[in-house]
Amino acid sequence: MYSTNSINYQLQTTMIKVNPTSLLRATFLLFFLMAEAVITKAQSITIPIESKQNALVLQVTAEKYLEMVYYGNKLSNEHEYSSIASAYRDNRTTSGYNSAYTSSGSLNLLEPAISVTHADGNKSLDLKYVSHTLTKISDDISLVSIRLKDSVYDFEVTLNYQTYYNENVTETWSVIQPHEKHDVVLNKYASANLYLQAGSYWLRHYHGDWAKEMRPEEEQLDHGIKTLDTKLGTRADLFQPPVFMVSLNKSSTEDEGEVLYGNLEWSGNYRIDLEVDPSNNLRIIAGINNYAADYVLKPGVEFTTPKFVYTLSDKGKGEASRSLQTWARKYKIVDGEGPRLTLLNNWESTYFDFNEDKLAGILKDTKTLGVDLFLLDDGWFGNKYPRNDDHAGLGDWEENKAKLPEGIAFLTKTAQADSVKFGIWVEPEMVNPKSELYEKHPDWVVKQPQRPEYYMRNQLVLDLTNPKVQDFVFGIVDNLFTKNPGLAYIKWDCNSIIYNAYSAYEKDQSNFYTDYVFGLYKVLDRLRAKYPKIPMMLCSGGGGRVDYGVLKYFTEYWPSDNTEPIERIFIQWEYSYFYPALASSNQVTNWGKEPLKFRVDVAMMGKLGFDVVVGKLKPDELAFCQQAVKTYKQFSEAIWHGDQYRLQNPQDNDAASIMYVDAAKGTAIMFNYLVNSRYGAGTMLPIRLKGLDPDKNYLVTEVNLFPGTKSSIPNATYSGRFLMAVGINPDVRDGRTSVLIAVQEKK
């Protein structure tokens, strides 16, 4: 490479000889050196996007293409980022492998991040770098925006990388801006296009169904494309959630290995492509699923893709989880740094069979139990078509006069008199064919006009692409709050997927799947603008809709309708990789054969609730539950806002063990469960604790004991170093299937 001074010097020394041949050579040399200088200048555009530990490095080539050349540990010398690309041997036979946002129809031959059809039918796009800006949003948050433009068509894309410095988390998304005179069709429109370089790649992803959520699978990625996707429309996570992790070079453990976590912030159909390219590097392209979803853009309209959030750790899965959990509490989940309400739900104690007197009794039980809130579940509405089962009434959101002659107002006042709060269940996106709403507005329903209706849970989906439907859904919740100012909590359900997708409102049917989710977000935006901190649980029949795109409107989510406690250990364990404990809404129910203590202990690993008949509890059971609520509140700060450490995986051991440590490292609580019923199963060896201060002394005690039982673990004081190097055996075994250990600083 040459500087301007070296060009001038070489030109002068060459021109000392003034014969024509020498002059011609000098001219060619000048042209060559100036051209090389231009190339050098173009190659000097390096864009490092740094967090506290990591750096994602983008670089502009001589031809103005934007490439991703590095993602890994941050370098101490920022100037060295420009040298990274030259450290890798380039044996590519075609261009575009490491494009920061791969387009299609021109030079690229790999899976694109964006594919379009222009008004003239041409399907090519060739995006080149124009400029970039850095915006400092706060001391922790920075936004890099990079403008790309096609050289033939008036078509731009702005790539955005928003980095949360201390949390080592990045969100990326694209803004697509065609300035053409006629409609443009987006055939694919991804949010993220990452490029990783390693010797091998190990993908951990999830599958499931109702009551079988978050079943993990791990595999080594081979050449070709592995696609994770969903086509369900609503409740899109039912079979496969939009979360995954990729370990580099070897399968990561809890505390070792380099691993990337990814999560698409989108509540509808998504698609994540993981492609090992011919050069053995991994391309990750994530965004809205383009299945049946070519998106028609009108002139002058821009399209903003959902965000894709990711974090990279070189210290295993645990560090990656804590980074993502901290980020979620600080920046994403509603009131993520605030408290959570404990509750009593009536669903499994009454189902649809209740009246005012029965509910008034349960409200008194709420106070007796010691929890904060009573939640009235499904069945409180509908008159012409009363909601006495799930076949009718959905969509008719007026109080059922036979069950609640004095309305919701009676319940909110009764709750206030009992010094507890009152919450209510809604499913505003859905409708039963047997309802007044369906009779009045059949055009509001998602269904093919010439095909028979097909139901899931005897219901259909309302068309949220229609602004009138958006107003209706907003009004359901708004009217509840307006008429009942004492209402303190909403459980928002969504039990159906979309069959026979068709909108009577949409002109371009291929926009439907995408616009449905945008419509949902518009409703939730309006609700949160008016009611910014009201606690709301995201239900969706269990884990049918859990992603950070919708969790930014909710305080918590319902992991699964499966509340059998051993099953819940596995389900909650896998969710914990991506979501913080305070967002996991857990309830004690009568599912399973495990004792009450086991069920309560499992539910305490998140946001505690009960769905039992308090009046049927034996005196010692009630006393235990009352004390458990007090114990939970004593350690709730560590559970809600502390660091989470998974100590012993239930997939690989007789016993599962997980702990939470508060920010001051002064209080921790350790949950231990027997998950294998074979003879002699249990904890034979001590379990090493994590996250403590090695120089502090801690008093270790067993808590949450059932009345009349004694602990086999003596109260003792240990140093943090001992507990993390040697550990403690919680003595989990038959007869001691659930053990909670408190670890508190002794001053």
Side-chain angles (χ1 to χ4, degrees):
M1 302 302 176
Y2 296 85
S3 67
T4 304
N5 289 337
S6 68
I7 294 173
N8 292 335
Y9 172 77
Q10 292 195 38
L11 178 61
Q12 291 168 6
T13 55
T14 303
M15 292 183 68
I16 291 174
K17 300 177 181 179
V18 293
N19 63 70
T21 302
S22 297
L23 185 59
L24 183 61
R25 289 175 179 170
T27 303
F28 278 117
L29 179 60
L30 175 61
F31 176 81
F32 170 78
L33 293 173
M34 291 182 67
E36 189 171 23
V38 170
I39 292 172
T40 302
K41 184 177 181 181
Q43 288 179 331
S44 67
I45 302 176
T46 301
I47 308 170
I49 301 169
E50 295 184 322
S51 65
K52 190 173 184 179
Q53 295 179 5
N54 300 322
L56 184 151
V57 181
L58 304 171
Q59 199 166 72
V60 180
T61 70
E63 297 82 13
K64 295 290 186 178
Y65 291 114
L66 183 68
E67 296 182 338
M68 182 174 171
V69 298
Y70 178 76
Y71 187 31
N73 288 336
K74 183 170 66 174
L75 304 183
S76 56
N77 183 352
E78 185 175 325
H79 298 292
E80 292 182 334
Y81 289 128
S82 61
S83 303
I84 289 176
S86 62
Y88 292 88
R89 179 182 176 186
D90 188 353
N91 62 349
R92 294 177 288 181
T93 57
T94 185
S95 62
Y97 283 18
N98 62 337
S99 171
Y101 199 66
T102 311
S103 55
S104 67
S106 54
L107 299 180
N108 169 60
L109 299 177
L110 300 177
E111 183 65 31
I114 183 169
S115 179
V116 306
T117 303
H118 303 282
D120 62 2
N122 193 295
K123 299 181 73 70
S124 68
L125 197 63
D126 195 31
L127 297 171
K128 294 189 176 184
Y129 170 87
V130 177
S131 62
H132 73 277
T133 59
L134 170 62
T135 304
K136 191 77 171 174
I137 297 173
S138 70
D139 289 341
D140 191 33
I141 307 173
S142 298
L143 173 64
V144 173
S145 299
I146 306 170
R147 183 174 163 227
L148 309 176
K149 192 175 188 302
D150 187 84
S151 58
V152 175
Y153 291 91
D154 196 358
F155 193 105
E156 295 185 12
V157 174
T158 300
L159 305 183
N160 296 283
Y161 300 85
Q162 185 159 293
T163 300
Y164 301 81
Y165 184 85
N166 291 309
E167 292 73 31
N168 295 300
V169 168
T170 302
E171 290 180 300
T172 185
W173 69 97
S174 57
V175 179
I176 301 169
Q177 301 159 300
H179 303 294
E180 302 175 33
K181 295 181 180 180
H182 302 285
D183 292 358
V184 171
V185 179
L186 304 182
N187 305 118
K188 190 174 184 183
Y189 34 103
S191 301
N193 189 164
L194 300 182
Y195 185 74
L196 303 177
Q197 297 164 308
S200 59
Y201 309 92
W202 298 83
L203 171 68
R204 185 181 178 93
H205 59 104
Y206 298 88
H207 67 95
D209 204 334
W210 181 81
K212 297 185 289 185
E213 289 83 1
M214 294 298 286
R215 301 289 177 95
E217 292 182 340
E218 186 162 357
E219 61 194 277
Q220 183 176 0
L221 291 172
D222 297 321
H223 290 88
I225 299 177
K226 171 77 174 184
T227 298
L228 312 176
D229 77 337
T230 182
K231 304 179 180 72
L232 305 181
T234 57
R235 205 177 172 193
D237 298 4
L238 181 60
F239 299 145
Q240 190 161 54
V243 296
F244 66 93
M245 60 181 81
V246 174
S247 299
L248 308 183
N249 297 311
K250 63 178 182 179
S251 180
S252 296
T253 65
E254 196 66 26
D255 301 305
E256 294 181 346
E258 193 170 9
V259 60
L260 176 136
Y261 280 22
N263 187 327
L264 185 66
E265 300 180 32
W266 182 246
S267 309
N269 296 346
Y270 72 87
R271 174 175 169 177
I272 299 169
D273 295 314
L274 301 104
E275 180 177 21
V276 179
D277 70 21
S279 293
N280 302 315
N281 300 308
L282 178 63
R283 307 169 71 249
I284 301 175
I285 298 174
I288 294 172
N289 198 337
N290 55 327
Y291 161 77
D294 289 336
Y295 200 88
V296 180
L297 270 185
K298 299 296 181 184
V301 177
E302 68 178 31
F303 185 96
T304 301
T305 68
K307 295 177 179 178
F308 176 74
V309 61
Y310 52 98
T311 186
L312 181 69
S313 166
D314 65 353
K315 296 181 180 64
K317 299 172 184 175
E319 182 183 74
S321 289
R322 290 185 288 278
S323 295
L324 205 55
Q325 292 166 359
T326 301
W327 166 82
R329 290 193 299 264
K330 289 178 67 174
Y331 297 112
K332 190 58 61 170
I333 294 171
V334 175
D335 198 22
E337 296 186 293
R340 291 296 183 266
L341 297 170
T342 55
L343 61 80
L344 175 63
N345 195 350
N346 73 301
W347 178 243
E348 293 193 15
S349 60
T350 69
Y351 294 101
F352 295 98
D353 182 19
F354 55 81
N355 54 35
E356 283 182 352
D357 290 341
K358 187 178 288 188
L359 295 180
I362 298 176
L363 277 162
K364 294 187 182 301
D365 290 339
T366 306
K367 184 177 182 179
T368 299
L369 189 60
V371 294
D372 305 310
L373 176 138
F374 168 67
L375 171 62
L376 174 60
D377 217 291
D378 194 358
W380 58 267
F381 50 89
N383 287 298
K384 181 180 179 181
Y385 301 105
R387 183 73 167 173
N388 294 323
D389 55 38
D390 63 9
H391 288 78
L394 199 57
D396 301 342
W397 297 99
E398 69 280 346
E399 296 100 319
N400 180 280
K401 294 178 182 178
K403 295 180 181 180
L404 304 174
E406 297 185 58
I408 300 300
F410 166 78
L411 297 173
T412 57
K413 290 177 183 177
T414 303
Q416 289 171 352
D418 290 331
S419 301
V420 296
K421 299 179 184 294
F422 177 77
I424 200 165
W425 177 97
V426 293
E427 192 176 6
E429 300 165 67
M430 304 291 164
V431 61
N432 284 128
K434 193 174 181 179
S435 67
E436 292 184 80
L437 178 66
Y438 186 89
E439 292 174 347
K440 293 176 182 177
H441 299 288
D443 58 317
W444 284 11
V445 179
V446 177
K447 59 176 182 174
Q448 290 282 350
Q450 298 181 5
R451 298 187 186 279
E453 295 175 356
Y454 190 82
Y455 309 127
M456 185 172 187
R457 205 187 182 224
N458 308 300
Q459 63 195 53
L460 295 167
V461 180
L462 293 176
D463 181 7
L464 279 176
T465 69
N466 187 335
K468 291 182 180 179
V469 177
Q470 295 171 22
D471 291 340
F472 171 77
V473 173
F474 170 80
I476 293 167
V477 181
D478 186 43
N479 289 337
L480 281 169
F481 283 120
T482 301
K483 294 178 181 178
N484 308 283
L487 185 63
Y489 186 92
I490 292 289
K491 177 182 177 181
W492 184 298
D493 217 336
C494 169
N495 283 298
S496 292
I497 61 179
I498 292 177
Y499 295 103
N500 293 326
Y502 179 85
S503 165
Y505 173 80
E506 283 272 15
K507 293 182 179 178
D508 296 303
Q509 291 301 312
S510 61
N511 286 23
F512 168 72
Y513 278 124
T514 303
D515 283 349
Y516 179 90
V517 183
F518 286 148
L520 171 66
Y521 290 167
K522 287 177 182 177
V523 172
L524 294 170
D525 278 328
R526 290 172 64 186
L527 284 172
R528 276 306 176 198
K530 191 169 183 179
Y531 309 101
K533 285 199 173 183
I534 290 290
M536 294 205 306
M537 181 210 294
L538 174 64
C539 185
S540 197
R545 182 191 276 166
V546 183
D547 63 86
Y548 281 121
V550 73
L551 270 178
K552 70 179 182 180
Y553 303 107
F554 290 83
T555 50
E556 58 221 56
Y557 68 93
W558 183 236
S560 177
D561 279 348
N562 185 345
T563 54
E564 198 285 325
I566 290 183
E567 291 285 350
R568 265 303 188 111
I569 290 170
F570 287 85
I571 292 170
Q572 292 169 199
W573 185 280
E574 298 302 331
Y575 273 119
S576 77
Y577 286 112
F578 303 95
Y579 302 102
L582 91 166
S584 178
S585 187
N586 309 329
Q587 292 181 12
V588 181
T589 73
N590 290 319
W591 277 46
K593 299 179 181 179
E594 300 302 319
L596 178 64
K597 171 178 162 51
F598 193 105
R599 289 179 272 139
V600 171
D601 288 353
V602 171
M604 287 172 66
M605 292 193 299
K607 205 219 74 165
L608 175 64
F610 291 81
D611 194 352
V612 296
V613 182
V614 175
K616 292 185 177 180
L617 294 175
K618 298 175 182 178
D620 57 350
E621 292 176 331
L622 176 59
F624 168 75
C625 290
Q626 291 170 326
Q627 183 57 48
V629 172
K630 293 177 182 177
T631 301
Y632 176 75
K633 292 183 177 181
Q634 180 184 356
F635 292 95
S636 60
E637 181 60 30
I639 297 169
W640 294 342
H641 306 122
D643 286 330
Q644 180 189 71
Y645 295 89
R646 289 174 293 271
L647 306 180
Q648 194 162 281
N649 195 322
Q651 303 278 1
D652 307 319
N653 297 276
D654 289 345
S657 183
I658 195 167
M659 71 179 289
Y660 304 85
V661 184
D662 71 359
K665 298 184 184 297
T667 298
I669 185 163
M670 177 188 183
F671 295 84
N672 307 275
Y673 309 99
L674 186 68
V675 294
N676 184 351
S677 60
R678 295 191 68 180
Y679 178 78
T683 53
M684 304 300 177
L685 301 173
I687 298 174
R688 294 179 181 178
L689 278 60
K690 300 175 185 177
L692 302 175
D693 185 330
D695 298 320
K696 287 183 177 181
N697 290 320
Y698 294 92
L699 175 63
V700 174
T701 58
E702 183 174 353
V703 296
N704 231 36
L705 290 163
F706 197 82
T709 62
K710 294 182 179 180
S711 175
S712 62
I713 301 173
N715 297 350
T717 300
Y718 304 93
S719 69
R721 182 170 280 102
F722 177 92
L723 292 172
M724 292 189 291
V726 178
I728 186 168
N729 192 329
D731 190 26
V732 173
R733 51 180 166 80
D734 186 31
R736 282 178 54 83
T737 57
S738 176
V739 177
L740 268 59
I741 303 294
V743 182
Q744 296 170 293
E745 181 182 0
K746 190 171 183 180
K747 297 181 180 179

